[in-house]
Amino acid sequence: MPGPDDVALHFSDEDSRIPTKHPLAVCFHITFRALALLTYLMCGWFSSSFISCFVTILIFLSLDFWTVKNVTGRLLVGLRWWNYVDDDGKSHWVFESRKDEDIQITDTAEAQVFWLALVLTPVIWFLLLFVSFFRLNVKWFVVVIVALILNGANLYGYLRCKMKGTDKFSSAISSMMGKQVISSMFSSLWKKPEPAPPQSRPFTNTV
């Protein structure tokens, strides 16, 4: 049984010899998440029932989560993440990546579409979170939270796959946070001090 460390996906020799394109996978990678967003934005125009809107959005979000996690990530970028429970009841997360010699079969355009949709969708839901918060729409706020959790889980998992495991991912996050801290420190040091207000000259009587 595989451990929590990264393992390589072993594809057949036929896959490594013949470059393949996956237009259907690209279509479903975009379609389900687009339908979830459109349903959220336009559901009030077609139905006044929150329950029906919530169920419809949840169905599209679930289809998108399953498709991206199990199909499109493996086909479009050669990455896959999953979880299993060992005999002791301990949960393990596995982040797999395609072998280096098989990377050339991945289509560049398909990979760009995959990552663009994977990163852009949580950003849009995050903006909608602020909109629902400022409008005090508690019910729709819950819907956006669910969307962020499902989309964020796939984004986190595939970033871990891309970074090839926990160590590189943690070091990358640490370096990003370190750069932000250092830049803020230097910006405060380089900031020019504000000029002091002119002091009033003491009044002297010349008479």
Side-chain angles (χ1 to χ4, degrees), residues 81-95:
W81 65 275
W82 52 284
N83 174 270
Y84 74 94
V85 180
D86 59 17
D87 297 334
D88 298 330
K90 186 178 180 180
S91 179
H92 298 276
W93 293 94
V94 182
F95 304 93

Side-chain angles (χ1 to χ4, degrees), residues 170-186:
S170 301
S171 60
I173 296 298
S174 301
S175 63
M176 290 175 60
M177 294 179 64
K179 289 179 181 178
Q180 291 180 354
V181 172
I182 292 173
S183 62
S184 62
M185 290 174 60
F186 276 101

Side-chain angles (χ1 to χ4, degrees), residues 64-146:
D64 172 70
F65 178 82
W66 186 91
T67 303
V68 175
K69 179 180 179 296
N70 297 290
V71 180
T72 61
R74 177 174 55 87
L75 295 178
L76 302 182
V77 291
L79 302 175
R80 184 173 63 180
W81 65 275
W82 52 284
N83 174 270
Y84 74 94
V85 180
D86 59 17
D87 297 334
D88 298 330
K90 186 178 180 180
S91 179
H92 298 276
W93 293 94
V94 182
F95 304 93
E96 299 178 324
S97 59
R98 196 187 299 269
K99 294 186 296 183
D100 294 337
E101 58 267 22
D102 293 334
I103 293 178
Q104 64 269 19
I105 72 173
T106 302
D107 187 81
T108 304
E110 291 180 351
Q112 291 177 351
V113 171
F114 175 85
W115 287 110
L116 182 62
L118 193 69
V119 174
L120 187 59
T121 308
V123 173
I124 297 176
W125 282 113
F126 191 74
L127 295 176
L128 293 175
L129 181 69
F130 279 97
V131 174
S132 61
F133 176 78
F134 286 113
R135 290 184 177 180
L136 300 179
N137 293 331
V138 179
K139 295 185 296 185
W140 294 108
F141 186 83
V142 175
V143 175
V144 179
I145 289 293
V146 174

Side-chain angles (χ1 to χ4, degrees), residues 52-70:
S52 61
C53 294
F54 178 78
V55 172
T56 304
I57 296 172
L58 187 61
I59 290 174
F60 287 140
L61 289 173
S62 301
L63 290 173
D64 172 70
F65 178 82
W66 186 91
T67 303
V68 175
K69 179 180 179 296
N70 297 290

